[in-house]
Amino acid sequence: MGLQSFEHGLERMVEGVFSRGSKSSIRPVELGRRLLREIDDHRSVDVKGRRIVPNSFIISLSPRDHAGFADIDDALNAELCETAREYARSEGYHFMGNVTVELVVDNEMKPGRFTVVSRMKESGGGVGVGSLVLPSGERVALGADATSIGRLPDCTIPLADTNISRKHCEVRPSSKGYVVVDLGSTNGTKVNGLRIQGEHALEDGDIVSVGSTHLRFEAS
């Protein structure tokens, strides 16, 4: 897609959501643009030939600007993380771990200015608390038990879709996070558009498709 065209979409999306909520002299879209440029400027290639990019971002703001974002802090953080994931998917980039954005106060920073420091950070071992985001925006928390998806009402995520099997697939915890497992469904389970075979490890931002329903995996 390219950075420039992605920035145009970012401006429409972010400004539409936050234009009336921010009391900071910095527009939220400015933070998003800088974050995307950090991703591009610090990409590298790993031993598997994948383009790896930063996934941990610290945005330093003046006390005044930081306070100006207080009312929309959680929503802004979620929007910036999702922007990073979408841009990475569009460019074929890979993260080493979960995407995180932290807004911090720098008492030496002048109002209207900010800095972004990024780094590549691996996720810690063990099972955390991730979630599956439904098309409606509803989040289903993942934990130590398997999360079932299918047509049956007793599935964790029941979906009324004739293209989905009664018990279609499960998202299960593993030693390194979560995996999705197809349960012998008729039409199969896809991750990022590709049909999986057996067990497939999930990465932050992956899209799990069952029938015509697409669920986004988010690691915390």
Side-chain angles (χ1 to χ4, degrees):
M1 178 183 290
L3 179 58
Q4 187 173 14
S5 58
F6 200 90
E7 284 181 343
H8 291 316
L10 170 68
E11 184 162 3
R12 290 192 299 271
M13 175 180 63
V14 176
E15 290 300 304
V17 175
F18 300 114
S19 59
R20 292 186 297 274
S22 173
K23 299 176 183 177
S24 171
S25 59
I26 299 171
R27 295 193 307 160
V29 70
E30 295 178 66
L31 304 181
R33 284 174 177 159
R34 185 75 64 83
L35 187 147
L36 297 186
R37 292 188 183 279
E38 278 289 311
I39 290 176
D40 269 344
D41 291 345
H42 295 87
R43 62 181 182 264
S44 62
V45 179
D46 69 1
V47 294
K48 297 180 181 179
R50 301 181 303 174
R51 293 190 294 172
I52 306 298
V53 294
N55 59 300
S56 175
F57 306 89
I58 297 178
I59 302 175
S60 299
L61 303 158
S62 71
R64 183 189 303 174
D65 287 321
H66 188 273
F69 285 124
D71 292 342
I72 61 170
D73 183 79
D74 290 342
L76 177 60
N77 190 294
E79 198 70 42
L80 291 172
C81 287
E82 180 56 21
T83 294
R85 295 187 190 102
E86 288 188 8
Y87 185 59
R89 283 196 292 269
S90 73
E91 297 298 305
Y93 294 154
H94 292 267
F95 297 119
M96 293 177 63
N98 308 334
V99 178
T100 61
V101 177
E102 184 180 3
L103 273 61
V104 301
V105 174
D106 182 344
N107 290 318
E108 302 300 319
M109 191 74 65
K110 295 181 179 179
R113 300 182 66 86
F114 65 94
T115 61
V116 178
V117 175
S118 64
R119 63 173 175 153
M120 299 178 190
K121 184 178 179 181
E122 291 189 51
S123 298
V127 177
V129 180
S131 61
L132 288 173
V133 183
L134 278 59
S136 64
E138 177 187 357
R139 279 179 168 77
V140 177
L142 304 173
D145 298 323
T147 298
S148 57
I149 302 170
R151 286 205 331 270
L152 289 178
D154 60 353
C155 286
T156 312
I157 302 177
L159 298 171
D161 183 340
T162 57
N163 293 315
I164 295 176
S165 298
R166 290 158 60 85
K167 282 195 172 181
H168 197 99
C169 65
E170 286 184 344
V171 176
R172 303 170 181 170
S174 73
S175 60
K176 295 184 179 181
Y178 289 93
V179 297
V180 60
V181 182
D182 186 81
L183 300 177
S185 65
T186 302
N187 295 315
T189 301
K190 296 180 180 179
V191 175
N192 300 329
L194 299 177
R195 187 163 178 166
I196 66 170
Q197 300 293 332
E199 184 177 283
H200 182 92
L202 291 173
E203 296 183 3
D204 190 43
D206 279 351
I207 302 298
V208 178
S209 300
V210 291
S212 59
T213 302
H214 308 291
L215 307 99
R216 186 176 70 249
F217 171 72
E218 290 187 356
S220 62

